[in-house]
Amino acid sequence: MRAAAATAQSQKASVVAALPADGDATLRAAARQEYLNALPIAAAIFRLDDLDRLWVDFANEPFTDLVGWNPVALSRPAAEAEIVEGSGLADTIALFLKGTEESRQFERSDGRVVGARHFLVRLARLTLFPQLGTRCLVSMIDRTAQVETERSLRAEMLRDSLTGLPNRLAFNERVEKVLDDPGFLPGNHAVLVVDMTRFSRVNECVGSIAGDELLIAFARRLFSSLRGGDFLARTGGDEFGLLLKLDKGLEDATQAAERIRTALSAPFKLSELEIRVDCAIGCALLGGSEELAEEVLRNAQFALKRAKATGAVRFYEPNQARAARRRFSIETELRRAIEGRELELAFQPLIDLESGAVSGFEALARWNSGRRGAISPVEFIPVAEESGLIVPLGRWALEAAVETLAAWDRKMGRTLPLSVSVNLSPIQVARDDVASCVSAALAAYGIGGERLTLELTESAIIQDPWRATKVLEDLKGLKARVAMDDFGTGYTSLAYLQRLPIDVLKIDRSFVSAMLGDGDSIAIVRAILSLADALGMDTTAEGIDSPELAKALTRLGCTYGQGFYFARPLAPDAALDYWVSRSA
């Protein structure tokens, strides 16, 4: 850079030295013209006369070729000669000369919408010979090819290559444009997110090429449902975003969703197949408080998640984002809590209904976060399952429960006639080697398998019957007992009950709590008890909260019971004291 600057300064000095004295104006003009012609870029010297008219003192050939001037143009004021038609460049140069700036650089194009030419313009005030008037050196570089290339690359960057629709980036830019519009009014625009249901199933069955064909056809159907001014983009794999102006409020969004469903009602033809697809639609209004366009799209995706669960169009509610942020925060803290063994187990007694004795305890995870206080299992267990943390959480609960049972034995100086139940998540059954974890925990603390009961829900069996059967058989090989939790609320067939090595059926609390006042509930409980008896299984009733329920279930022949009537979940030491008091 320094060398280049020195060279330029040297050239300028040599040119100035070569100029004749002021008296020989013709020679001086020729020297200046020769200097400009030697420049490799388009350049010209402009001057303001006493009437503030702009004239061209000198222009080299690259400049005249670039702006398309002929000798006649050079003999007229520059404003009349039109420096690049439609660019207003002459007025800009005149204003520059009337001002005090030493230099300026900017980009300018002509007035054409299609096929416009683009230039980089530099203005530099000439002060070396003030007696020659107010002058400046104007240099121009044609950037038309570069600008067109940049536009082409940008258009390609903003376009989805498969469907030809704008992509997620283009969609967000359009939303930002709406939000930045001075005339924007909150609630006057909405974003709809449309997701094709079962698309992964189509890909699995007919292949990715047919899947791409379906996406293209799906996009065309969506496009056909648009109104003038609506903006459609592909924002994800099988997800499409729609930006629309609301003239009638939410009614417009609802009608747009109906048009989309109507457009998708006919089957899609792929080769020799006819495929019917449905969609889920989530909607979010542009309220103006969003800092980024991506936030609006994310809000619509929150609503989309609910739409997938319900099958109806859902609108975003502000508490959804707060709930999502809380879930994410809980996930982060839960990970640290598991690694730091900050969780605890509470133990709820299992009562033999006939004798009234404590037969064991169910181990329940409890979390008292230092920052948030107590967090309910109803909140953190789903987060653990969604994030995969349920696997380390389940391992910790299993080991802690067996460790507590061993501690009770040591404290009492003998092997107690107590068992402990631990819940298994369907995700644990699917992902973890449950039998190995159980075997390791039993061996580490010297506990027999018959004192451990593993509880799993019907969904754990339905998701992968073969794997669930293998896990249960392995657990039985360790002499552990198996209980089916929340029985009656899922879809387990009688064939599974007959084939699987299940020892206990746990009757869901929804049937137990309602059985005294609801004939249907007591009939269901009676049927479950009869089924368990026929299959040689024990039964446990959850949610017993009154002596009347306990007596009724005892009369019906239920084996065990648990609930607040007997005791709430207790800390380990309190649970042992409870067993001691009941045993006495």
Side-chain angles (χ1 to χ4, degrees), residues 521-551:
S521 292
I522 197 169
I524 292 173
V525 171
R526 195 188 304 272
I528 294 173
L529 293 172
S530 299
L531 176 63
D533 184 60
L535 296 174
M537 300 177 184
D538 291 333
T539 49
T540 298
E542 300 178 298
I544 299 176
D545 56 10
S546 69
E548 292 79 15
L549 274 177
K551 292 175 183 177

Coordinates of all heavy atoms in Angstrom, one line a residue, residues 521-551:
S521 N -66.8 -47.0 36.8 CA -65.5 -47.1 37.3 C -65.4 -48.4 38.2 O -64.4 -49.1 38.1 CB -65.1 -45.9 38.1 OG -65.0 -44.8 37.3
I522 N -66.4 -48.6 39.0 CA -66.3 -49.8 39.9 C -66.4 -51.1 39.1 O -65.8 -52.1 39.4 CB -67.4 -49.8 41.0 CG1 -67.0 -50.8 42.1 CG2 -68.8 -50.0 40.5 CD1 -67.9 -50.6 43.4
A523 N -67.1 -51.0 38.0 CA -67.2 -52.2 37.1 C -65.9 -52.5 36.4 O -65.5 -53.6 36.3 CB -68.3 -52.0 36.0
I524 N -65.1 -51.4 36.0 CA -63.8 -51.5 35.4 C -62.8 -52.1 36.4 O -62.1 -53.0 36.1 CB -63.3 -50.2 34.9 CG1 -64.2 -49.8 33.7 CG2 -61.9 -50.3 34.5 CD1 -63.9 -48.4 33.2
V525 N -62.9 -51.6 37.7 CA -62.0 -52.1 38.7 C -62.3 -53.6 39.0 O -61.4 -54.4 39.1 CB -62.1 -51.3 40.0 CG1 -61.4 -52.0 41.1 CG2 -61.7 -49.9 39.8
R526 N -63.6 -53.9 39.1 CA -63.9 -55.3 39.3 C -63.4 -56.2 38.2 O -62.9 -57.3 38.4 CB -65.5 -55.4 39.4 CG -65.9 -56.8 40.0 CD -67.4 -56.8 39.9 NE -68.1 -55.7 40.6 CZ -68.4 -55.7 41.9 NH1 -68.1 -56.7 42.7 NH2 -69.0 -54.6 42.4
A527 N -63.5 -55.7 36.9 CA -63.1 -56.5 35.8 C -61.6 -56.7 35.8 O -61.1 -57.8 35.5 CB -63.5 -55.8 34.5
I528 N -60.8 -55.7 36.1 CA -59.4 -55.8 36.2 C -59.0 -56.8 37.3 O -58.1 -57.6 37.1 CB -58.7 -54.4 36.5 CG1 -59.0 -53.5 35.3 CG2 -57.2 -54.6 36.7 CD1 -58.5 -52.1 35.5
L529 N -59.6 -56.7 38.4 CA -59.3 -57.7 39.5 C -59.6 -59.1 39.1 O -58.9 -60.0 39.4 CB -60.1 -57.3 40.8 CG -59.7 -55.9 41.4 CD1 -60.7 -55.6 42.5 CD2 -58.3 -56.0 42.0
S530 N -60.7 -59.3 38.4 CA -61.1 -60.6 37.9 C -60.1 -61.1 36.9 O -59.7 -62.3 36.9 CB -62.5 -60.6 37.3 OG -63.4 -60.3 38.3
L531 N -59.6 -60.3 36.0 CA -58.7 -60.6 35.0 C -57.3 -61.0 35.6 O -56.7 -62.0 35.3 CB -58.5 -59.5 34.0 CG -57.4 -59.6 32.9 CD1 -57.8 -60.8 32.0 CD2 -57.2 -58.3 32.1
A532 N -56.9 -60.2 36.6 CA -55.6 -60.5 37.3 C -55.7 -61.8 38.0 O -54.7 -62.6 38.0 CB -55.3 -59.4 38.2
D533 N -56.8 -62.1 38.7 CA -57.0 -63.3 39.4 C -56.9 -64.5 38.4 O -56.3 -65.5 38.7 CB -58.3 -63.3 40.2 CG -58.5 -64.5 41.0 OD1 -57.7 -64.8 41.9 OD2 -59.5 -65.3 40.7
A534 N -57.5 -64.4 37.3 CA -57.5 -65.4 36.3 C -56.1 -65.7 35.7 O -55.8 -66.8 35.4 CB -58.5 -65.1 35.1
L535 N -55.3 -64.7 35.7 CA -54.0 -64.8 35.1 C -52.9 -65.0 36.2 O -51.7 -65.1 35.9 CB -53.6 -63.6 34.3 CG -54.4 -63.3 33.1 CD1 -54.0 -62.0 32.4 CD2 -54.2 -64.4 32.0
G536 N -53.4 -65.1 37.5 CA -52.5 -65.4 38.6 C -51.6 -64.2 38.9 O -50.5 -64.4 39.4
M537 N -52.1 -63.0 38.7 CA -51.3 -61.8 39.0 C -51.9 -61.1 40.3 O -53.1 -61.2 40.6 CB -51.4 -60.8 37.9 CG -50.9 -61.3 36.6 SD -51.2 -60.1 35.2 CE -50.5 -61.0 33.8
D538 N -51.0 -60.4 41.0 CA -51.4 -59.5 42.1 C -51.9 -58.2 41.5 O -51.6 -57.9 40.4 CB -50.2 -59.3 43.1 CG -49.8 -60.5 43.9 OD1 -50.7 -61.4 44.1 OD2 -48.7 -60.6 44.2
T539 N -52.6 -57.4 42.4 CA -53.1 -56.1 42.0 C -52.7 -55.1 43.0 O -52.7 -55.3 44.2 CB -54.6 -56.2 41.8 OG1 -55.2 -56.7 42.9 CG2 -55.0 -57.0 40.5
T540 N -52.5 -53.9 42.5 CA -52.2 -52.7 43.4 C -53.1 -51.6 42.9 O -53.2 -51.2 41.7 CB -50.8 -52.3 43.3 OG1 -49.9 -53.3 43.7 CG2 -50.5 -51.0 44.1
A541 N -53.9 -51.0 43.9 CA -54.8 -49.9 43.6 C -54.0 -48.6 44.0 O -53.6 -48.4 45.1 CB -56.1 -50.0 44.3
E542 N -53.9 -47.7 43.0 CA -53.3 -46.4 43.3 C -54.3 -45.3 43.7 O -55.5 -45.4 43.3 CB -52.5 -45.9 42.0 CG -51.5 -46.8 41.5 CD -50.8 -46.3 40.3 OE1 -51.5 -46.1 39.2 OE2 -49.6 -46.0 40.3
G543 N -53.9 -44.3 44.4 CA -54.8 -43.2 44.7 C -55.8 -43.4 45.8 O -56.9 -42.8 45.7
I544 N -55.6 -44.3 46.7 CA -56.5 -44.5 47.8 C -56.4 -43.4 48.8 O -55.4 -43.2 49.4 CB -56.3 -45.9 48.5 CG1 -56.4 -47.0 47.5 CG2 -57.2 -46.1 49.7 CD1 -56.0 -48.4 48.1
D545 N -57.5 -42.6 48.9 CA -57.4 -41.4 49.7 C -58.5 -41.4 50.8 O -58.7 -40.3 51.5 CB -57.5 -40.1 48.9 CG -58.8 -40.1 48.0 OD1 -59.7 -40.9 48.2 OD2 -58.9 -39.2 47.2
S546 N -59.1 -42.5 51.1 CA -60.2 -42.5 52.1 C -60.3 -44.0 52.7 O -60.0 -44.9 51.9 CB -61.5 -42.0 51.6 OG -62.0 -43.0 50.7
P547 N -60.7 -44.1 53.9 CA -60.9 -45.5 54.4 C -62.0 -46.3 53.7 O -61.9 -47.5 53.6 CB -61.3 -45.2 55.9 CG -61.8 -43.8 56.0 CD -61.0 -43.1 54.9
E548 N -63.0 -45.5 53.2 CA -64.1 -46.2 52.4 C -63.5 -46.9 51.2 O -63.9 -48.0 50.8 CB -65.2 -45.2 52.0 CG -66.0 -44.6 53.2 CD -65.2 -43.6 53.9 OE1 -64.2 -43.0 53.4 OE2 -65.6 -43.2 55.1
L549 N -62.6 -46.2 50.5 CA -62.0 -46.8 49.3 C -61.2 -48.0 49.7 O -61.2 -49.0 49.0 CB -61.1 -45.8 48.6 CG -61.8 -44.8 47.6 CD1 -60.7 -43.8 47.0 CD2 -62.4 -45.6 46.4
A550 N -60.4 -47.9 50.7 CA -59.6 -49.0 51.2 C -60.4 -50.2 51.5 O -60.1 -51.4 51.1 CB -58.7 -48.6 52.4
K551 N -61.6 -50.0 52.2 CA -62.4 -51.1 52.6 C -63.1 -51.8 51.3 O -63.2 -53.0 51.2 CB -63.5 -50.7 53.6 CG -63.0 -50.3 54.9 CD -64.1 -49.7 55.8 CE -63.5 -49.3 57.2 NZ -64.5 -48.6 58.0

